[in-house]
Amino acid sequence: MYDFRTLRLTLAAQRSHHCVRNGSPAPHRQRAFSVLRDFVPFLNNDSNTKITSMIPALTPTYNRADLAFERGEGAWLYTTDGRRFLDFAAGIATCSVGHGHPHLVETVQQQAAKVMHVSNLFRIPQAEKLAQRLVDNSFADSAFFCNSGAEANEGMVKFARRAQALAGHPERTEIICMDGAFHGRTLAMLSATGNPKYLEGFGTPVPGFLHVPFNDIEAVKAAITPRTAAVMLEPIQGESGIKVASPEYLRALRALCDETGVLLALDEVQCGVGRTGKLFAHEWAGIKPDVLSTAKGLGGGFPIGAVLATEAVAKGMTAGTHGTTFGGNPLACAAANAVLDVLLAPGFLEQVQARAKLLDTQLDKLVKEAPGVFSERRGLGLLIGLRCVPPVGEVQAAAQNAGLLCVTAGDNVLRLVPPLTVTEEDCMEAVSRLRQAIFSNSHNNKTVLEPTP
């Protein structure tokens, strides 16, 4: 360990290394240079040498598990050291058709060998095909493609404000959002999310977003003013704990928006693209939004997002009003078309519903067996949450040790979001591994995760 005096010597030596005798540093500098070389091993006598920073080369914005995967197959992932994990995280609800799906892999490989990117200065047949398929299978009349969920949500807000302005209401710019929302990490979407933890250190929140309690129609009514452009919400709040908007609430929102001229904007970044057993989650309530964002599962792991809108909303987005360099490129849209080939095949979404029902039944049994670990099951389709009694991080770690990958969420919830292609055997194995995680080495009919008096 070097003291401050020694370090001062090293810095002085670095500043005056040009002071030499017969081509060598002066004697009183020599030890300082030696110390400096020991302290920073790569340092040489070149004053332009860069001293290595203490920060990793990969910016440490994530708390990563010490697992590195080299390949995947279906709902399974394999680490570089040979371990096998059942993946009920699916890249945070993104690997919709699992890992290594033959059709997706072949499509991406073939498209990559032809052309990956040309920009939106030219027609992109793959994007045109994808847009038409989404329009044919949803409420929308038009689709805009981008690269991520946050971008899709930013675009959705622009679509809504622009539509209001062109309808003669330029003062309508405010967006009513929900407590517990998560809409992304851009500055504007941090404000739409409203979580103080995410806003800390990033300056004054972007104006134009206000928040009301989730699933509370009276709160929305009270918040609407002549300046309101849209009500923006997730039909299922994923990050805050798998909280499902009731069908009655969504229907009441639709009626309220129709009555007031406010647009209904749905964030289906996580709950859309087949995750609930319908192509989009709002379909369970029998409603249609004015504009919708989606991403995650749309590319099956390849980055792509989309804004879907009715003609009344989309017609104002003329040339120059919005854009993206990478969005909707041939490779991304080829991947998304391959995903839709799977999801829109006859019977596939019904299969998702069947897998969800199986998991619901088995997980409900587990909740009853382990009331000291789980207090309830939440969710819809294959967007499942188990509210934990002990800290959710402990439950997640125990599951990982049992070879099951899960994701944490707010409200102390363990999130299970497997690939939509998950098999019955995979579902039963996941429950078995979760049971193993909480009951292995149990004593006195208590699970390993319950506190001992």
Side-chain angles (χ1 to χ4, degrees), residues 235-429:
I236 304 174
Q237 292 187 334
E239 297 298 316
S240 66
I242 317 299
K243 299 174 181 176
V244 182
S246 71
E248 296 77 16
Y249 176 63
L250 291 175
R251 288 192 283 266
L253 278 178
R254 178 69 274 175
L256 178 62
C257 288
D258 289 340
E259 178 185 337
T260 58
V262 170
L263 299 175
L264 181 58
L266 297 183
D267 175 348
E268 294 220 23
V269 169
Q270 184 165 177
C271 65
V273 195
R275 175 59 51 185
T276 66
K278 299 281 190 182
L279 190 59
F280 293 107
H282 67 266
E283 296 174 33
W284 289 104
I287 66 164
K288 295 180 180 180
D290 299 295
V291 59
L292 175 148
S293 61
T294 195
K296 286 193 181 289
L298 183 58
F302 199 95
I304 185 171
V307 182
L308 308 182
T310 62
E311 181 178 4
V313 172
K315 67 182 181 182
M317 303 304 291
T318 53
T321 57
H322 197 39
T324 166
T325 297
F326 292 105
N329 65 63
L331 187 54
C333 290
N337 273 308
V339 169
L340 287 188
D341 288 343
V342 177
L343 268 58
L344 297 178
F348 182 82
L349 291 176
E350 289 76 14
Q351 176 181 292
V352 172
Q353 294 174 32
R355 299 290 185 270
K357 184 177 181 181
L358 172 62
L359 278 169
D360 288 349
T361 300
Q362 295 301 317
L363 290 171
D364 283 345
K365 291 179 182 178
L366 185 59
V367 170
K368 291 180 179 179
E369 293 172 16
V373 179
F374 301 120
S375 61
E376 66 173 311
R377 175 188 58 79
R378 302 172 175 175
L380 182 62
L382 292 178
L383 181 49
I384 303 167
L386 294 173
R387 192 163 192 270
C388 299
V389 177
V392 64
E394 295 180 9
V395 183
Q396 181 197 36
Q400 183 174 300
N401 288 337
L404 177 66
L405 301 178
C406 311
V407 187
T408 62
D411 202 26
N412 211 41
V413 165
L414 187 71
R415 190 172 5 172
L416 306 176
V417 282
L420 305 184
T421 51
V422 68
T423 67
E424 289 185 1
E425 292 76 15
D426 293 334
C427 293
M428 296 302 293
E429 181 65 21

Side-chain angles (χ1 to χ4, degrees), residues 5 22 62 64 116 174 179 186 204 231 235 289 344 349 393 413 453:
R5 180 177 178 277
N22 300 320
Y62 303 99
R64 302 177 191 269
M116 292 188 285
E174 291 183 348
D179 293 339
T186 62
T204 304
V231 175
L344 297 178
L349 291 176
V413 165

Side-chain angles (χ1 to χ4, degrees), residues 44-84:
N44 58 31
N45 288 346
D46 181 358
S47 62
N48 292 322
T49 298
K50 181 179 179 180
I51 299 177
T52 295
S53 168
M54 296 299 289
I55 192 172
L58 185 60
T59 305
T61 54
Y62 303 99
N63 184 21
R64 302 177 191 269
D66 189 19
L67 294 173
F69 300 105
E70 63 179 4
R71 67 184 181 91
E73 183 178 343
W76 295 87
L77 282 170
Y78 300 82
T79 64
T80 53
D81 58 3
R83 287 177 289 167
R84 183 172 183 252

